[in-house]
Amino acid sequence: MTDTHPPEQNPEARWFGFREVAPAERSAKVQGVFANVARRYDIMNDLMSGGVHRVWKQVFVRAVRPRPGERVLDVAGGTGDIARRLHAATGGQAQVVVCDISEPMVGVGRDRAIDRGISPSLAEGGIAHLVGNAESIPLPDRSVDAYTIAFGLRNVTHIDRALAEARRVLRPGGRFFCLEFCPVDAPGLRRLYDLYSFQVIPRLGQLVARDRDSYQYLVESIRRFPEPPALAERMVAAGLSRPRWRSLSAGIVSLHSGWRT
Ligand SMILES: C[S@@+](CC[C@H](N)C(=O)[O-])C[C@H]1O[C@@H](n2cnc3c(N)ncnc32)[C@H](O)[C@@H]1O
């Protein structure tokens, strides 16, 4: 895809963590990260967060409040943790579709769903898994009731394109939800958080996933992600109205929501 957006509109596109890269190369680098860690991704989430990511995801799914019969699209859905929670929240009555750019991550998620007795077919009440880019989602306009993206948006090269795609696939009145890490501001907490992020997490990545660099990227990418008010403005610019956000765990994570009118 050619890079038609002016770079200042998507300043993150030039950054792979703290390293400056050509926007056209960024996605391949991100895909490399997730191909490397796919098999150890979920265990690493538990270890890094002490299990707290489960609470954040529970709060997220409660906010989405999927209803029976709705179609919910989980973009950058990775190994399907959020998708299975959304599916379970309606007793398997919602049509949940995962879309992620990483074939290895999607493969782990599909296998995990099958192991748990969930069909890979929407027609059979299961969860569908698609390999696709958040910037060009392989679904028709106005085809989903809710769009979710958890810990995914900061990995996307052009955030504004992804937000515009969210609006495109949502039906009028459809709901948008984003869960993402935030740069932490509180000075006391920030020092501790930085110490843990930069000293502990990459070492844990090396020990458990045999990949220090990928986890170094993950902690750096959080520092490059827009603050909640800036993201809210970009949601509105993309046509997602009434943006709201709430902080979880002293601002380590933010839950954003909006609507397609
Ligand atoms: C940190 S994981 C989050 C996975 C899952 N949502 C969760 O909460 O466990 C980020 C995911 O974003 C995916 N991703 C990165 N860039 C993407 C893009 N442009 N389009 C779709 N998915 C993307 C990665 O492949 C990875 O699976």
Side-chain angles (χ1 to χ4, degrees), residues 6-71:
E8 64 278 14
Q9 230 175 306
N10 285 278
E12 311 73 22
R14 289 185 299 112
W15 296 101
F16 176 71
F18 291 167
R19 256 194 303 150
E20 197 158 3
V21 293
E25 289 165 16
R26 188 182 184 274
S27 184
K29 288 188 178 301
V30 169
Q31 287 179 61
V33 164
F34 290 101
N36 284 349
V37 305
R39 300 249 147 234
R40 309 299 281 165
Y41 175 77
D42 290 290
I43 178 102
M44 273 299 290
N45 277 353
D46 274 331
L47 291 172
M48 286 188 298
S49 71
V52 177
H53 77 105
R54 293 169 183 261
V55 179
W56 296 329
K57 288 173 175 173
Q58 206 175 1
V59 172
F60 186 62
V61 169
R62 229 180 270 146
V64 178
R65 213 147 50 89
R67 290 147 214 166
E70 281 193 330
R71 179 164 291 188

Side-chain angles (χ1 to χ4, degrees), residues 237-254:
L240 295 164
S241 61
R242 286 186 280 152
R244 301 266 182 281
W245 71 88
R246 61 187 272 214
S247 297
L248 306 177
S249 300
I252 290 175
V253 163
S254 285

Side-chain angles (χ1 to χ4, degrees), residues 9 19 24 49 53 62 89 103 112 123 128 145 152 160 174 188 196 202 218 227 259:
Q9 230 175 306
R19 256 194 303 150
S49 71
H53 77 105
R62 229 180 270 146
E103 169 73 56
R112 201 155 290 163
D145 299 292
D160 298 323
Y196 180 70
L218 288 178
E227 305 263 355
W259 298 82

Side-chain angles (χ1 to χ4, degrees), residues 43-133:
I43 178 102
M44 273 299 290
N45 277 353
D46 274 331
L47 291 172
M48 286 188 298
S49 71
V52 177
H53 77 105
R54 293 169 183 261
V55 179
W56 296 329
K57 288 173 175 173
Q58 206 175 1
V59 172
F60 186 62
V61 169
R62 229 180 270 146
V64 178
R65 213 147 50 89
R67 290 147 214 166
E70 281 193 330
R71 179 164 291 188
V72 185
L73 173 65
D74 185 40
V75 173
T79 57
D81 195 8
I82 296 279
R84 289 189 300 277
R85 289 167 188 271
L86 291 164
H87 188 253
T90 58
Q93 299 297 302
Q95 297 184 9
V96 182
V97 180
V98 176
C99 175
D100 192 286
I101 204 164
S102 167
E103 169 73 56
M105 291 288 278
V106 171
V108 169
R110 195 187 287 119
D111 289 350
R112 201 155 290 163
I114 291 168
D115 289 347
R116 291 175 192 185
I118 302 170
S119 162
S121 154
L122 285 186
E124 292 170 4
I127 299 176
H129 292 78
L130 306 177
V131 175
N133 192 336

